[in-house]
Each structure stands twice: as C-alpha cells, then as structure tokens.
Amino acid sequence: MSHVTRLALPPLLIALCMAPPLAQASGSVEVQWIDSEKYSDAGRNRFDRERALTQLAVLIQGMGRLLPDGQTLKLEVTDLDLAGELRPWHGQELRVMRGGADWPRMSLRYTLSAGGQTLRSGQAQLSDLNYLWRPLTQELGYEKRMLEQWVVQSIASASAGARSLQ
C-alpha cells in the first residue's frame, strides 16, 4: 500500500512559492513525495530527509518559470537517490561525491495539464552520470540541475512557447 508523505513547509517558503510572478507569467509545478521513508537515499535520518525534500520542493516549484502560462506539471516522486554517498567521519556522516556510481537519481510519475486537459503524462527515470563534470556549490544543486534539464528537454520543449534555462 502506498501513502503520500506531506511535509510542512515554513510559512515564509510557502509565501515565496505562492507569490505572483514579478516579470512574466509562468506555469506551476506541484510535487508529492510518495513513501519518502523508503527512498534509496534522501538523507541519513528523518530530519535530513525532511530538510532535503523541503529544499527540493521549493526548487521544483520554482521550475514553473520554465512552463508557459496556464500549464501545471504535477510530479509524484517515487524514489530519490541524492548525489554522493554517506560516509562515516568522526562519529558523523559526510556526503562524499566521487563521480563513480554515486550520481543523483530520481524516479517519478508526471502529468502536464492546461485548461483541465492532460497534455502529457508518464513515468521518468532521471539521472546525471556526469554530475561532477560541471561542479556546483549550491546545496542540492546537482539534483536541481538534473530536474531542470528534464523539465526543459522533456516537458517544456514539448509545449508551445517553451522558455530556455536562464
């Protein structure tokens, strides 16, 4: 049996995500984390998992800027494996990124809709095997880049008036 894990976002993050766009109209992105406690690697404990999923939810919702006005992309994430591997270090765990078999991965179901009609739907397996070839310093930056590339290549490019990454 599957259940949906809902995370409580801090009020400021909710306000920022729901604020009307300043410069141009865009679509919206909604995300649900399905059975997140069973993910391959979303953090070392419940606190880390909730923190990572909250940050990713904000990043994902911000990708609405890549969609034309009036379109909604609904994502159901069924598995997540963050970039790197957790390694013990002085009684703690550090996320070590070596560029081996530790690339970011995500499994999801999606539905793109507009005006009450489904434009596109399916399942996707996202991964970025070359994630360290373009280093980032932003936390969860590899996962964000992987998701943005998928939205641009697989979703927004199929929509009229798709916007390119900024």
Side-chain angles (χ1 to χ4, degrees):
M1 182 190 313
S2 173
H3 75 280
V4 175
T5 303
R6 298 198 185 271
L7 300 174
L9 294 175
L12 179 59
L13 289 178
I14 292 171
L16 288 173
C17 291
M18 299 188 73
L22 299 175
Q24 58 187 185
S26 63
S28 63
V29 181
E30 301 170 10
V31 64
Q32 287 185 334
W33 308 103
I34 308 299
D35 291 330
S36 63
E37 64 280 351
K38 296 179 182 175
Y39 288 173
S40 297
D41 175 14
R44 66 181 160 245
N45 55 44
R46 186 176 78 80
F47 173 77
D48 285 349
R49 181 177 58 245
E50 287 182 5
R51 181 172 164 243
L53 298 183
T54 298
Q55 289 177 342
L56 282 172
V58 171
L59 295 172
I60 289 168
Q61 290 164 348
M63 288 181 213
R65 77 184 190 288
L66 301 172
L67 299 173
D69 189 30
Q71 289 190 355
T72 300
L73 176 61
K74 293 183 182 180
L75 301 177
E76 293 180 339
V77 179
T78 57
D79 193 22
L80 173 66
D81 189 352
L82 298 175
E85 297 174 339
L86 290 172
R87 299 285 182 149
W89 185 74
H90 297 284
Q92 298 181 359
E93 289 183 313
L94 292 178
R95 187 163 295 278
V96 177
M97 298 179 201
R98 300 174 316 160
D102 61 348
W103 56 84
R105 292 179 281 255
M106 185 178 288
S107 300
L108 54 86
R109 294 184 294 260
Y110 66 92
T111 303
L112 179 65
S113 61
Q117 294 188 350
T118 299
L119 304 176
R120 191 171 195 185
S121 65
Q123 296 184 11
Q125 302 291 324
L126 312 183
S127 62
D128 183 1
L129 279 63
N130 296 318
Y131 77 101
L132 283 180
W133 288 40
R134 298 162 290 169
L136 296 172
T137 56
Q138 173 187 8
E139 189 171 2
L140 299 173
Y142 298 109
E143 292 78 11
K144 178 185 178 198
R145 181 175 57 209
M146 176 180 70
L147 282 160
E148 282 184 341
Q149 287 174 341
W150 175 74
V151 168
V152 168
Q153 294 170 358
S154 300
I155 302 297
S157 65
S159 302
R163 298 182 179 108
S164 62
L165 279 171
Q166 298 174 354

